[in-house]
Amino acid sequence: MSGAADERDRIRAAMDRILTGRPERSNGALTIVALAIEAGVPRNALTQRHLDLKNEFYAKVKERGQPTDAETRLRKQVVRLKELREKDKAELEQLRADVAGLVRVVNQLTLENRQLREHLSTPNPVVRVFPVQHMPPEPG
């Protein structure tokens, strides 16, 4: 038997084992990688030499009505990423609001500082010293 024919036979047998849930060498995932491992062939045998078998495998997987393992994994990742995006969006909105508030405070302090400097630059400025408020020590 030629090498290519033997390879095709091994791929078909591996396809049957995976699709019936009886993998011997692979984890049984519905992926080309698992099929290649199960058949004992390099992955490029399916992606370059035997495209018809790769397409047949995917067609049979699709017929089952079940998403592939890769699709399931990607769908879970999409959900997780959407949740993270929403969380980041909320955090970004809060940070933008904080920045706007901080800009207002800086502008107010700058104005007050300018007024104090102008007052101190006048002849005989009156300076009032306010009592210092002591902060209680932080627990910890």
Side-chain angles (χ1 to χ4, degrees), residues 72-87:
T72 302
R73 187 177 65 251
L74 288 173
R75 287 184 188 279
K76 286 179 183 177
Q77 188 173 8
V78 165
V79 168
R80 187 178 60 80
L81 290 173
K82 283 182 179 179
E83 289 169 354
L84 286 173
R85 186 168 183 237
E86 287 300 314
K87 181 182 171 191

Side-chain angles (χ1 to χ4, degrees), residues 37-56:
I37 292 168
E38 188 67 28
V41 300
R43 195 181 109 231
N44 70 349
L46 290 160
T47 60
Q48 295 173 9
R49 292 191 296 271
H50 306 295
L51 288 173
D52 61 319
L53 293 178
K54 177 188 87 158
N55 294 336
E56 180 183 331

Side-chain angles (χ1 to χ4, degrees), residues 63-123:
E63 284 173 11
R64 296 176 65 164
Q66 296 174 323
T68 64
D69 295 342
E71 185 179 351
T72 302
R73 187 177 65 251
L74 288 173
R75 287 184 188 279
K76 286 179 183 177
Q77 188 173 8
V78 165
V79 168
R80 187 178 60 80
L81 290 173
K82 283 182 179 179
E83 289 169 354
L84 286 173
R85 186 168 183 237
E86 287 300 314
K87 181 182 171 191
D88 288 347
K89 183 180 174 185
E91 184 178 353
L92 184 59
E93 287 174 8
Q94 181 62 52
L95 290 172
R96 284 183 175 148
D98 291 349
V99 166
L102 291 171
V103 166
R104 284 190 298 274
V105 169
V106 166
N107 286 336
Q108 179 65 35
L109 292 173
T110 301
L111 177 65
E112 290 176 11
N113 193 18
R114 185 179 308 129
Q115 290 172 344
L116 287 171
R117 287 179 188 274
E118 287 173 3
H119 179 72
L120 287 173
S121 66
T122 62

